[in-house]
């Protein structure tokens, strides 16, 4: 989300997504600076593993310093705001969904540096330790959210925008002259499976990069896959069909993440036209739409104005209603 005010962000999210069928979330505010950014925020969750900020990026440390403490403080502020705006959440109509996100192990391994300045991705042992630390930290965060919001049915999302690059072997080394070798798909899958197993509720993996490995993510245990719908090609049809027919959820990114497209929020029904086209192409039952699709922005809203971000969330809710009312 844009801005630096955690209370305002929580107010916006839970105000725009207030119906029982909506899925609000714990906001992230990268504009606050280091430690609130995607990598730094998740690095602050790590158990018995610490980071500090170098000119080249986030690097593993021997002990917790100012940067780790700041990341944890930002997250604490976000959780306090979440707790404030979810008082009585779910009372009377059963548990209500809240989505909690963290960077997944492979994007984290591609983005965090070892002490020598190279990505952790280049050391298989370091990646194993990182994944174990992340799993423990995530378990603690989910327990904290459950304690703060007893009426919440939590959804865990792992953000993996670098996953395609990890599988392709296109993550650059520190020098920029070489790339790290592609990681074996079985290793990628098993590591993701261990992380997703931390949560005993629904799980989602998000990537707004092209060529999201849909089949691998489903085999790893993801209940849902979140992506930019415009990047799907007909080569993905079979995997999308298997996801839906296997009971999985497609988080369809159809609303632009910023106001660069002036007409983006003018036609809720038009925003989901691509979803309807996909359904027809796959020959799926229109009745599955309301069970199998969540309408979302294409990626994060941090680059938008606060007014656009608020409008985009409302637009997603209206587009989802349009899809449910007229699935064909």
């Amino acid at each position: 989300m844009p801005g630096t005010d955690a209370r305002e962000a929580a107010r916006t999210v839970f105000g725009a997504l207030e119906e029982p069928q909506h899925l609000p979330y714990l906001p992230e505010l990268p504009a606050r600076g280091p430690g609130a950014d995607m990598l730094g925020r998740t690095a602050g969750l790590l158990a018995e593993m610490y980071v500090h900020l170098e000119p080249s990026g986030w690097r593993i440390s021997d002990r917790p310093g100012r940067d780790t403490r700041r990341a944890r403080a930002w997250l604490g502020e976000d959780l306090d705001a979440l707790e404030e705006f979810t008082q009585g959440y779910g009372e009377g109509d059963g548990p209500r969904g809240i989505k909690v996100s963290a960077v997944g192990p492979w994007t984290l391994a591609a983005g965090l540096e070892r002490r020598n300045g190279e990505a952790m991705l280049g050391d298989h042992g370091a990646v194993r330790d990182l994944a174990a630390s992340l799993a423990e930290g995530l378990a603690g965060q989910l327990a904290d959210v459950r304690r703060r919001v007893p009426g919440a049915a939590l959804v865990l999302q792992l953000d993996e925008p670098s996953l395609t690059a990890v599988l392709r072997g296109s993550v650059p080394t520190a020098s920029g002259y070489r790339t790290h070798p592609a990681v074996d798909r079985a290793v990628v899958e098993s590591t993701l499976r261990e992380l997703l197993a931390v949560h005993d509720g629904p799980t989602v993996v998000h990537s707004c990069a092209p060529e999201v490995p849909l089949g691998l993510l489903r085999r790893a245990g993801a209940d849902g896959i979140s992506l930019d719908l415009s990047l799907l090609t007909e080569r993905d049809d079979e995997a999308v069909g298997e996801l839906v027919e296997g009971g999985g959820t497609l988080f369809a990114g159809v609303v632009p993440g910023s106001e660069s497209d002036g007409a983006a929020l003018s036609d809720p029904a038009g925003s989901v036209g691509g979803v309807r086209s996909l359904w027809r192409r796959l020959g799926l039952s229109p009745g599955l739409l309301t069970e199998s699709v969540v309408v979302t922005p294409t990626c994060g809203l941090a680059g938008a104005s606060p007014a656009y971000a608020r409008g985009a969330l409302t637009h997603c809710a209206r587009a989802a209603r349009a899809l449910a009312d007229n699935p064909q």
Side-chain angles (χ1 to χ4, degrees):
M1 294 290 287
T4 59
D5 187 332
R7 293 183 72 254
E8 182 57 31
R11 188 200 316 273
T12 296
V13 169
F14 284 87
L17 304 175
E18 60 183 353
E19 298 297 328
Q21 70 270 26
H22 296 162
L23 183 59
Y25 50 88
L26 174 65
E28 303 176 13
L29 299 172
R32 291 180 298 195
D37 61 294
M38 186 176 76
L39 285 176
R41 179 185 177 90
T42 296
L45 285 176
L46 297 174
E48 299 183 18
M49 192 174 280
Y50 315 107
V51 296
H52 68 276
L53 193 60
E54 293 280 347
S56 57
W58 289 100
R59 185 171 295 182
I60 293 297
S61 299
D62 293 323
R63 59 186 65 85
R66 177 183 61 185
D67 294 329
T68 294
R69 289 193 295 271
R70 180 168 50 198
R72 292 176 176 175
W74 288 136
L75 180 57
E77 185 177 295
D78 296 338
L79 290 168
D80 289 344
L82 175 75
E83 185 174 5
E84 177 181 349
F85 286 95
T86 53
Q87 294 297 311
Y89 196 70
E91 290 182 1
D93 52 4
R96 293 279 308 280
I98 295 178
K99 182 162 65 70
V100 177
S101 301
V103 176
W106 293 107
T107 296
L108 202 60
L112 291 186
E113 299 174 356
R114 290 172 280 159
R115 292 171 181 83
N116 64 1
E118 289 291 352
M120 297 191 77
L121 185 65
D123 183 328
H124 297 311
V127 173
R128 285 195 298 272
D129 292 343
L130 179 65
S133 175
L134 177 58
E136 186 176 343
L138 267 178
Q141 185 194 22
L142 291 167
D144 190 14
V145 176
R146 288 190 194 98
R147 178 182 62 79
R148 291 170 180 263
V149 193
L154 299 187
V155 176
L156 171 63
Q157 176 173 303
L158 297 181
D159 293 319
E160 283 284 14
S162 298
L163 183 58
T164 301
V166 168
L167 291 166
R168 284 179 178 171
S170 58
V171 176
T173 59
S175 69
Y177 294 116
R178 297 183 299 107
T179 58
H180 291 281
V183 180
D184 184 89
R185 296 178 75 89
V187 174
V188 170
E189 182 181 321
S190 64
T191 302
L192 283 168
R193 184 179 299 111
E194 292 168 8
L195 261 296
L196 292 169
V198 165
H199 183 44
D200 59 3
T203 57
V204 184
V205 178
H206 167 74
S207 175
C208 45
E211 298 183 30
V212 177
L214 301 170
L216 183 153
L217 296 178
R218 279 293 282 164
R219 291 192 300 273
D223 299 301
I225 298 173
S226 173
L227 43 73
D228 181 342
L229 195 75
S230 69
L231 298 180
L232 284 180
T233 68
E234 292 189 9
R235 290 176 300 182
D236 300 308
D237 281 2
E238 183 177 352
V240 173
E242 289 176 353
L243 167 70
V244 172
E245 292 179 333
T249 303
L250 177 66
F251 284 66
V254 296
V255 178
S258 71
E259 48 265 80
S260 56
D261 180 356
L265 305 185
S266 62
D267 181 11
S271 293
V272 289
V275 180
R276 293 192 186 94
S277 297
L278 173 65
W279 238 243
R280 288 193 294 268
R281 195 165 73 235
L282 296 176
L284 294 170
S285 166
L288 284 174
L289 279 167
T290 53
E291 301 174 15
S292 306
V293 174
V294 177
V295 177
T296 75
T298 53
C299 210
L301 294 167
S305 68
Y308 180 88
R310 185 165 49 251
L313 295 180
T314 301
H315 186 85
C316 285
R318 291 173 176 167
R321 171 49 56 194
L323 192 62
D325 290 345
N326 184 19
Q328 303 190 57

